[in-house]
Amino acid sequence: AFTRAIGLRPDFARAMYNRGNVLRDEGRVAAAEADYRAALVADPTLTDAGVNLAAALGELHRWAEAEACYRRALAARPGDADLET
């Protein structure tokens, strides 16, 4: 469903983000990374995509990139308790 939605609206950031979540749940972390990045290009304010990108990068043992993503998310949503735990 998300792939179809993206096909109809290639800039549909929320669909890219959600497809990334499905891919990550399936263990396809590299593919999820690509969707999270695409979602952020389409909508740089979609902070949840940045947070999940950071988590995916951590799963891929790309620690410096993961930390940078988390820091960007914190900067975008200062004081968000979900990001500070």
Side-chain angles (χ1 to χ4, degrees):
F2 297 122
T3 300
R4 186 164 195 268
I6 295 164
L8 294 171
R9 251 185 70 203
D11 64 338
F12 194 176
R14 183 62 65 174
M16 292 174 215
Y17 163 73
N18 286 322
R19 185 175 67 180
N21 291 338
V22 171
L23 291 168
R24 192 165 151 234
D25 287 346
E26 293 175 347
R28 298 170 58 195
V29 182
E33 175 194 354
D35 271 352
Y36 295 142
R37 289 188 187 279
L40 288 167
V41 168
D43 181 0
T45 68
L46 186 55
T47 311
D48 290 338
V51 171
N52 285 11
L53 172 59
L57 291 167
E59 290 175 34
L60 294 168
H61 306 282
R62 291 164 50 193
W63 311 119
E65 290 174 84
E67 180 183 3
C69 286
Y70 277 126
R71 288 185 183 281
R72 281 192 294 276
L74 277 169
R77 291 183 0 202
D80 187 328
D82 290 333
L83 297 177
E84 294 178 358
T85 59

